[in-house]
Amino acid sequence: MGHGDADRRGAEAAPGGLQPLADSQAFGCQVKGPHVHVRRRLNSNGAWAKSRRPRVIPVTTELVACYADYLYERAALPEAEFTEQVLVNLFRAPLGRAVTYSNAKDLFDRLARAADLIARPHMVRHGAATHWIRGGTDRSVVSDLLGHLSDSSMSVYVHDVPSGWVGFIPSERHARAWV
């Protein structure tokens, strides 16, 4: 399967509800722009969405480009063909199966150690929410993106950022891909 085939496969049947196109109406989706549908359901890897309420999260075109590259690698693995989760094991057993939370956290921990950082995956949600709120995004919109039922739960997501760090915080456009 060539790179173009992986791109078409991603547009037609993107695993896990990822809609990479600017307009997915031809595929039955009314949401504009690239996005991912998040819904709570029983998954083969035991992972759950945090919220019981389905939601749509916009993603960046950069994330879509990275995902197209991932699909190209994934398409070369026959075991992954019928797995609907977004991320599957490409290099470790069980090949083609959905990545479990513990595997994803292990990868995150190894990357954090390699970068000499103290970080946990959930901190990415906090960072994105803090950035959106500081950038002027309405709290109710941020609450919705995170899947919260109440805006009052947003207080734990607003953190003080030292002024010297401001340049290291990505734009809202990039932060939307983090959630």
Side-chain angles (χ1 to χ4, degrees), residues 130 134 158-162 165:
T130 298
R134 290 205 172 144
V158 181
H159 303 286
D160 288 329
V161 176
W165 290 17

Side-chain angles (χ1 to χ4, degrees), residues 2 15 45 56 117 127 135 144 168:
N45 63 354
V56 172
L117 296 172
D144 229 22
F168 293 106

Side-chain angles (χ1 to χ4, degrees), residues 8-96:
R8 282 192 293 282
R9 178 178 176 260
E12 294 173 7
L18 180 68
Q19 298 294 328
L21 302 175
D23 186 348
S24 299
Q25 286 184 339
F27 303 104
C29 181
Q30 303 305 309
V31 179
K32 298 284 187 196
H35 60 278
V36 65
H37 291 267
V38 178
R39 61 191 185 281
R40 191 170 193 173
R41 63 195 171 128
L42 184 59
N43 290 306
S44 60
N45 63 354
W48 287 92
K50 186 167 182 160
S51 173
R52 295 179 195 267
R53 185 175 45 88
R55 63 193 186 278
V56 172
I57 300 172
V59 298
T60 65
T61 54
E62 292 88 355
L63 181 93
V64 171
C66 289
Y67 189 67
D69 291 342
Y70 164 77
L71 285 178
Y72 179 74
E73 289 189 45
R74 179 181 167 144
L77 187 67
E79 298 92 338
E81 186 173 350
F82 298 105
T83 303
E84 69 174 39
Q85 274 76 26
V86 172
L87 298 175
V88 299
N89 293 315
L90 297 179
F91 305 106
R92 289 177 140 179
L95 292 176

